[in-house]
Amino acid sequence: MPFQYWKVNITSYPTIDYGKPVEVLNQPILETIHQLDFLNLMLSRPCESVLRSIVRNNTKAIQHSQGYHTVFVLSSTNNASCSEMIGNESRKYGDILQFNNPEGYHFITLSVFHAFQYVQKMKMPIKYIIKSDSDCVINIKALQDRLSQLSAAHRKELYMGNCRFNDTYNYERKELKNYVPSALIKNRVRIPYYATGGCYVISYNVLPRLLISIQHLPFIAHNEDVNVGKGMGIAGIPCSKQRMWIARHGCHSQAECLDYVVMHPKEGMTDVIRFYSYLNNT
């Protein structure tokens, strides 16, 4: 049975049934990973094979030497050709983690929570989980530099990213993608803190506490990053705000872009390719 979250009977806002049994459709090969700093859980749309290829072509050969490993996290899809393509990718590369939860932006929370559960159970020899979107290019060296400036205690209890504090749910403007019906949130309008969802980093060893805390949320809306932030709040792990964390609307030169930990495109895949070229030229 799902956990006992508040629910609403609103057709336009489907229930996010976290806690229901979930099926793993494709599993990554993770057993051979030894002593890496980061596992990068990269959200990817099921039919987004071109972008996954760009990521692989630019990172596959260097991931382990730079201390990280990338796994693409996918939902299910009703597109038969995409399903076949995903199966082929999984057999060839061993880097697909796909669940049978519904496809779409509304259900991203399920993909992320299920991925956290999956990797937590594996008890992997890694220090940190990166949750990222597939169009985000991560400057691992810059991330390692940021982490080196933190105390050992802080690194063990880490929740880092583009933190926002004292936001409120959008329950009025239905046209915006962060809209949540007031009937669901009731009087819990305030969001104490969260790291925005393009990319954030958490200590691997806090996953069990986070997953338990998530079970105690009063409700689960579609805002994956907010749900994680509220879980971290219950677990007592603060959000470590970083200056120049993400170039949210792109960046123009190599020097400018490499000042950020995360580069996010303004012009689509051409920007993504350009960002990877900056990293590969350093």
Side-chain angles (χ1 to χ4, degrees), residues 20-203:
K20 273 190 173 180
V22 59
E23 180 183 353
V24 180
L25 303 179
N26 283 284
Q27 300 187 61
I29 299 171
L30 298 176
E31 292 78 9
T32 57
I33 292 177
H34 300 289
Q35 300 300 326
L36 294 176
D37 288 335
F38 307 101
L39 179 65
N40 179 21
L41 297 176
M42 182 171 271
L43 278 181
S44 177
R45 296 184 182 93
C47 298
E48 205 171 49
S49 62
V50 173
L51 191 49
R52 289 193 292 273
S53 293
I54 291 172
V55 176
R56 291 189 189 104
N57 291 341
N58 284 278
T59 68
K60 194 74 173 177
I62 61 172
Q63 286 183 23
H64 288 196
S65 65
Q66 294 192 1
Y68 73 102
H69 185 87
T70 295
V71 169
F72 297 101
V73 179
L74 281 63
S75 68
S76 64
T77 178
N78 294 322
N79 187 312
S81 62
C82 286
S83 291
E84 181 179 2
M85 174 183 63
I86 292 164
N88 292 336
E89 287 182 60
S90 184
R91 286 186 290 274
K92 184 175 181 179
Y93 300 108
D95 60 2
I96 299 284
L97 176 57
Q98 184 184 26
F99 301 100
N100 69 336
N101 53 267
E103 183 178 3
Y105 179 75
H106 187 82
F107 297 101
I108 286 175
T109 285
L110 292 177
S111 294
V112 172
F113 286 3
H114 292 154
F116 285 171
Q117 286 181 318
Y118 184 92
V119 300
Q120 184 267 323
K121 289 177 182 177
M122 293 196 70
K123 303 190 183 307
M124 299 178 65
I126 56 173
K127 297 177 182 177
Y128 308 100
I129 294 290
I130 301 172
K131 180 270 158 182
S132 65
D133 294 341
S134 57
D135 60 351
C136 286
V137 177
I138 303 168
N139 185 344
I140 293 293
K141 292 178 182 177
L143 176 56
Q144 289 168 331
D145 287 344
R146 300 284 182 100
L147 290 171
S148 70
Q149 297 171 28
L150 304 178
S151 67
H154 192 172
R155 291 195 297 270
K156 288 181 180 179
E157 299 264 301
L158 187 70
Y159 176 39
M160 171 188 280
N162 180 35
C163 304
R164 295 182 61 90
F165 300 90
N166 295 314
D167 274 5
T168 56
Y169 281 101
N170 167 33
Y171 56 90
E172 295 179 328
R173 299 187 61 184
K174 293 184 178 181
E175 73 277 10
L176 299 181
K177 70 176 186 178
N178 67 342
Y179 169 78
V180 180
S182 59
L184 179 63
I185 63 178
K186 300 181 181 180
N187 64 340
R188 305 289 185 96
V189 176
R190 180 174 167 269
I191 305 167
Y193 58 79
Y194 68 101
T196 58
C199 178
Y200 53 82
V201 182
I202 63 178
S203 301

Side-chain angles (χ1 to χ4, degrees), residues 66 137-146 243-247 250-264 271-282:
Q66 294 192 1
V137 177
I138 303 168
N139 185 344
I140 293 293
K141 292 178 182 177
L143 176 56
Q144 289 168 331
D145 287 344
R146 300 284 182 100
R243 185 183 67 86
M244 297 188 73
W245 177 259
I246 182 168
C251 45
H252 298 96
S253 68
Q254 177 168 325
E256 177 193 356
C257 292
L258 295 184
D259 280 339
Y260 293 90
V261 174
V262 185
M263 293 163 271
H264 182 271
D271 270 359
V272 173
I273 294 169
R274 177 168 60 88
F275 297 155
Y276 278 119
S277 75
Y278 294 159
L279 292 177
N280 294 335
N281 288 334
T282 58

